[in-house]
Amino acid sequence: MTKPQILQVGPYPQWDEEPLNAAFEVHRYFDAADKPSFLAEVGPAIRGIATRGELGANRAMIEACPNLEVISVYGVGYDAVDLAACREKGIRVTNTPDVLTNDVADLGIAMMLCQSRGMIGAEVWVKDGSWSAKGLYPLKRRVWGRRAGVLGLGRIGFEVAKRLKGFDMQISYSDVGPKSFAEGMTFVADPVELAKNVDFLFVTLAASAETRHIVGKDVIAALGAEGMLINISRASNIDEESLLEALENGTLGSAALDVFEGEPKLNPRFLALGNVLLQPHHASGTLETRQAMGKLVRDNLEAYFSGATLPTPVL
């Protein structure tokens, strides 16, 4: 039987590459020197796309593959896939939720602790001899017993909130409406009001046109000079220009960020700041989770081409 032909948009770890190549005839878009010519050549044969959340599949790519039937995304975010084009053409879309939820929540909590307690600077303080030469490290801020807000109480947001309860924190959240499972948490409809009444604001929203820059000047100002913003969602949920201005002038206390506009080429202004913790978009970056994500990408493709129910459909 002829293998379905798929377009692989970006590289995967070797443990995913091998089974993907065994199951499908794979065309490696990311290896092509002349990508438009490559798409023009292989596009008509492509029935599936295997991509990553940050790479997605835009309308031009989709239209270059007139026989495309399914797009499988490695990652929970699918905002870089042109869903409108997929709806028009009846193309199915899948992602890899759940398998990465707990690791992403873990990193969010770790970022809060690391930034609040100054752990990066404290390690430098030890290693560069400042401890012996200058004495004790400057005092930082506690985490336990303070107020936390979660913007977007979906899978990841809920796991973040569960972990925050272990620090005896007062937890509030914003979403499209109150959640029946949010026991012991306070619902606040307006993100500005949420930010005004918390010390730590976690951004855990799925990205969409509606949530673009939902964390803008007003939310950042409400969080204030003692507040910390932690983003483990998508860069588009935050107005980076307003964030940078607030961090630079001190109207926002600090931030801990795993995602950036234009990553990995983030705005160099971030690199000059002492009040921001920068991470390389690796919230799901554990061996266990990345292996599970790769398997789910293949499971979705194999289910589609065998006529089975898609494990994790988006569209």
Side-chain angles (χ1 to χ4, degrees):
M1 184 180 293
T2 304
K3 296 177 183 178
Q5 297 193 42
I6 68 167
L7 185 72
Q8 184 183 346
V9 180
Y12 296 133
Q14 190 60 34
W15 60 69
D16 291 324
E17 296 276 1
E18 291 179 1
L20 193 69
N21 282 297
F24 305 101
E25 185 175 340
V26 179
H27 299 275
R28 292 158 67 92
Y29 176 80
F30 57 97
D31 279 341
D34 184 343
K35 290 178 171 54
S37 295
F38 178 77
L39 269 182
E41 178 186 348
V42 305
I46 296 299
R47 296 179 62 197
I49 288 178
T51 188
R52 302 201 313 251
E54 77 278 16
L55 300 176
N58 61 23
R59 180 176 285 271
M61 178 178 286
I62 291 167
E63 292 182 344
C65 303
N67 295 303
L68 181 64
E69 301 169 46
V70 61
I71 298 173
S72 187
V73 179
Y74 179 96
V76 69
Y78 48 85
D79 50 297
V81 175
D82 192 321
L83 294 182
C86 292
R87 289 189 184 95
E88 289 169 18
K89 300 172 185 298
I91 297 165
R92 302 300 306 272
V93 180
T94 68
N95 66 343
T96 59
D98 297 323
V99 294
L100 53 71
T101 298
N102 285 289
D103 278 339
V104 175
D106 281 352
L107 188 77
I109 298 300
M111 289 164 68
M112 173 187 69
L113 289 166
C114 191
Q115 181 72 325
S116 192
R117 296 301 302 269
M119 292 172 68
I120 303 293
E123 183 187 36
V124 173
W125 191 262
V126 174
K127 288 184 173 179
D128 71 5
S130 294
W131 191 12
S132 59
K134 302 176 183 177
L136 296 175
Y137 187 60
L139 297 177
K140 299 300 177 182
R141 296 298 302 271
R142 72 168 47 153
V143 168
W144 70 268
R146 298 179 72 195
R147 304 169 302 168
V150 180
L151 182 53
L153 201 70
R155 294 180 178 94
I156 293 169
F158 182 62
E159 289 299 327
V160 166
K162 281 170 59 178
R163 287 154 174 76
L164 293 172
K165 287 181 179 181
F167 294 94
D168 294 326
M169 301 181 84
Q170 301 173 49
I171 304 166
S172 305
Y173 70 97
S174 281
D175 210 300
V176 293
K179 303 295 183 182
S180 60
F181 53 79
E183 186 178 350
M185 306 178 212
T186 302
F187 172 68
V188 181
D190 180 10
V192 175
E193 285 302 311
L194 178 71
K196 189 181 296 183
N197 291 290
V198 300
D199 303 300
F200 303 97
L201 180 62
F202 288 83
V203 185
T204 53
L205 286 165
S208 66
E210 291 72 29
T211 66
R212 179 171 174 77
H213 291 184
I214 190 170
V215 179
K217 282 186 177 181
D218 292 345
V219 171
I220 292 167
L223 190 52
E226 297 296 321
M228 182 189 299
L229 179 70
I230 301 126
N231 190 12
I232 48 173
S233 62
R234 303 295 276 186
S236 63
N237 288 331
I238 293 180
D239 178 349
E240 276 197 1
E241 182 61 31
S242 295
L243 174 61
L244 281 161
E245 287 179 6
L247 289 168
E248 288 167 344
N249 63 31
T251 53
L252 176 66
S254 62
L257 309 170
D258 188 47
V259 289
F260 306 87
E261 296 281 5
E263 60 184 48
K265 296 180 180 179
L266 66 161
N267 191 316
R269 289 163 65 190
F270 281 116
L271 306 180
L273 291 166
N275 56 348
V276 61
L277 173 68
L278 310 174
Q279 297 290 289
H281 198 158
H282 74 137
S284 65
T286 67
L287 286 170
E288 297 89 345
T289 283
R290 291 292 170 85
Q291 288 172 348
M293 288 167 63
K295 183 177 184 301
L296 191 48
V297 165
R298 298 191 304 276
D299 287 349
N300 275 297
L301 288 170
E302 290 170 0
Y304 178 82
F305 289 116
S306 68
T309 300
L310 297 177
T312 51
V314 169
L315 196 65

